[in-house]
């Protein structure tokens, strides 16, 4: 009997050890590889090219209910490997330090799923990134200290500079300060810099990009029904100049985030992005009654979202991106 007990104990230990080893292997496999910029591309730690395909939240002050693991997992099953957390920078657009916790919840949910996370300082109505620069410093100090070295984090430091704002006078000086601040804590994460005219003028930036910094990319945004060949030409020119670009926001409607869908122009965009192997993040995870919302306005689910719950734009994007 004693011999049987010993044998059973050894067998049990072997099973448990194997199970724990398997669990550790699964956990390790799910952990996203650190990313770096090489030329115009993103590569992983092994030097293999990585294309980010993702979904962006709407402003988390307005649609916090979609910042959860089940929601993100739903889009992961449909092909997303990235979540962008849109934190509006202006008081009138929902800014509140109390929402830092919601960003952290989103980071944890995406991290648990093995997804990349873009922490987005969502400049829009404030136009000039210098307007709320003090708050931006607080924001990026908090998050770069907290998540320094975490392999799945990217920082988008100014969503859509717009209005009477130039690259040389406003955006580039702001970006240089934010990059230096983030690099005090997080030495390697990719930092994404917005470009003039609602992140469209990548061709202008390509003439004088930020120097002496690694892992820097530049944002380009498009809405297919409005932004056509003239914006694609900007992208082609910047790419050919060697500027690393990430499309951190797009949809297939017009620039208002609403209006009719233009799948013909959207198809041209997808073809170009695939040709240049440029990552893209779709706007937006919500059921808002507008055509850029990825979820039907009639759908009240905030998790376990299926393809049948998607809006027309959501279905097209998940099929064609």
């Amino acid at each position: 009997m004693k011999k049987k007990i010993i044998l059973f104990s050894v067998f049990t230990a072997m099973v448990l050890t194997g199970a724990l080893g398997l669990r550790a292997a699964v956990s390790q496999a799910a952990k996203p590889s650190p990313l770096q910029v090489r030329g115009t591309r993103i590569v992983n730690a092994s030097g293999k090219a990585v294309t980010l395909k993702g979904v962006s939240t709407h402003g988390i002050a307005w649609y916090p209910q979609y910042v959860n693991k089940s929601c993100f997992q739903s889009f992961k099953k449909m092909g997303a490997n990235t979540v962008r957390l849109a934190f509006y920078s202006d008081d009138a657009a929902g800014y509140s330090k109390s929402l830092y916790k919601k960003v952290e919840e989103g980071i944890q949910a995406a991290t648990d799923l093995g997804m990349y996370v873009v922490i987005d300082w969502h400049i829009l109505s404030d136009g000039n990134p210098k307007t709320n620069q003090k708050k931006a410093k607080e924001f990026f100090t908090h998050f770069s200290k907290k998540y320094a070295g975490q392999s799945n984090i990217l920082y988008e430091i100014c969503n859509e500079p717009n209005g009477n704002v130039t690259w040389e006078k406003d955006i580039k000086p702001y970006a240089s300060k934010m990059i230096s601040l983030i690099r005090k804590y997080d030495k390697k994460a990719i930092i994404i810099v917005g470009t003039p005219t609602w992140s469209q003028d990548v061709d202008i930036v390509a003439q004088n990009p930020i120097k002496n910094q690694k892992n820097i990319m530049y944002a380009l945004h498009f809405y297919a029904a409005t932004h056509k060949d003239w914006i694609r030409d900007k992208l082609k020119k910047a790419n050919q100049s060697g500027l690393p670009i990430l499309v951190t926001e797009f949809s297939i409607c017009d620039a208002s985030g609403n209006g009719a869908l233009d799948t013909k122009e959207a198809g041209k965009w997808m073809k170009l992005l695939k040709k240049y192997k440029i990552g893209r993040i779709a706007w937006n995870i919500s059921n808002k009654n507008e055509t850029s919302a990825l979820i039907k306005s009639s759908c009240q689910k905030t998790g376990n979202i299926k393809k049948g719950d998607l809006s027309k734009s959501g279905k097209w994007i998940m099929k064609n991106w």
Side-chain angles (χ1 to χ4, degrees):
M1 178 64 72
K2 186 175 182 181
K3 186 176 181 180
K4 287 181 179 179
I5 291 171
I6 292 171
L7 287 172
F8 177 78
S9 299
V10 171
F11 176 75
T12 303
M14 289 173 67
V15 170
L16 288 172
T17 302
L20 289 170
L22 178 61
R23 189 179 301 169
V26 170
S27 176
Q28 188 173 3
K31 185 178 180 181
S33 173
L35 301 177
Q36 57 183 303
V37 179
R38 184 174 296 172
T40 60
R41 298 295 317 279
I42 296 175
V43 300
N44 64 17
S46 302
K48 183 178 179 181
V50 174
T51 300
L52 299 184
K53 290 200 298 183
V55 285
S56 177
T57 68
H58 202 301
I60 59 175
W62 302 326
Y63 292 95
Q65 65 269 37
Y66 295 101
V67 181
N68 69 78
K69 187 174 180 180
S70 177
C71 178
F72 295 170
Q73 187 173 41
S74 300
F75 286 99
K76 181 179 181 181
K77 289 178 180 177
M78 291 183 256
N81 60 13
T82 304
V83 173
R84 178 181 185 241
L85 301 171
F87 187 98
Y88 278 72
S89 54
D90 190 39
D91 291 341
Y95 168 85
S96 172
K97 280 190 75 172
S98 65
L99 289 171
Y100 281 19
K101 290 294 182 184
K102 183 56 67 173
V103 176
E104 291 168 3
E105 287 176 27
I107 292 170
Q108 187 62 55
T111 302
D112 289 345
L113 293 166
M115 301 177 79
Y116 292 101
V117 184
V118 176
I119 302 174
D120 165 36
W121 183 247
H122 202 84
I123 288 170
L124 189 60
S125 55
D126 35 348
N128 192 325
K130 290 181 176 179
T131 300
N132 286 309
Q133 184 169 281
K134 183 178 178 181
K135 291 192 293 188
K137 288 180 178 179
E138 292 177 348
F139 182 82
F140 286 111
T141 297
H142 175 86
F143 286 100
S144 61
K145 284 177 72 174
K146 187 174 182 67
Y147 296 101
Q150 187 164 310
S151 65
N152 63 329
I153 302 295
L154 300 86
Y155 303 93
E156 184 172 4
I157 60 175
C158 48
N159 166 61
E160 289 186 352
N162 64 85
N164 186 25
V165 175
T166 69
W167 172 248
E168 299 292 345
K169 185 181 72 173
D170 304 298
I171 305 169
K172 188 177 182 183
Y174 163 86
S176 296
K177 289 179 181 178
M178 289 303 116
I179 291 167
S180 295
L181 183 152
I182 291 169
R183 289 290 183 243
K184 287 181 182 179
Y185 310 104
D186 197 324
K187 306 297 183 184
K188 297 180 179 180
I190 290 176
I191 299 173
I192 308 150
V193 182
T195 57
T197 318
W198 292 278
S199 284
Q200 296 168 26
D201 294 341
V202 288
D203 54 333
I204 291 173
V205 173
Q207 297 171 21
N208 187 19
I210 293 165
K211 299 286 198 292
N212 302 317
Q213 290 284 356
K214 293 182 179 180
N215 292 337
I216 304 301
M217 301 193 82
Y218 299 88
L220 184 139
H221 293 177
F222 71 86
Y223 285 76
T226 301
H227 304 126
K228 303 183 181 183
D229 280 339
W230 55 287
I231 298 292
R232 287 191 288 269
D233 287 343
K234 287 176 176 285
L235 173 56
K236 291 174 186 177
K237 185 176 180 180
N239 182 270
Q240 289 162 8
S241 297
L243 193 76
I245 293 169
L246 186 63
V247 174
T248 52
E249 185 178 314
F250 81 93
S251 190
I252 64 174
C253 57
D254 68 37
S256 70
N258 206 1
L261 304 183
D262 193 332
T263 56
K264 182 180 178 181
E265 290 295 324
K268 291 179 182 178
W269 272 109
M270 291 303 111
K271 183 178 180 180
L272 182 62
L273 296 179
K274 290 172 185 178
K275 177 182 177 180
Y276 289 154
K277 298 179 173 59
I278 291 174
R280 51 267 186 193
I281 299 174
W283 181 265
N284 67 82
I285 307 174
S286 80
N287 68 344
K288 187 177 181 181
N289 188 24
E290 62 179 21
T291 48
S292 66
L294 296 170
I295 302 168
K296 288 179 181 177
S297 59
S298 60
C299 178
Q300 299 303 310
K301 293 162 65 176
T302 58
N304 193 29
I305 296 160
K306 308 295 185 182
K307 288 184 179 179
D309 300 318
L310 299 179
S311 65
K312 288 182 180 179
S313 64
K315 288 176 181 175
W316 192 95
I317 290 168
M318 295 304 130
K319 181 180 179 181
N320 294 281
W321 67 349

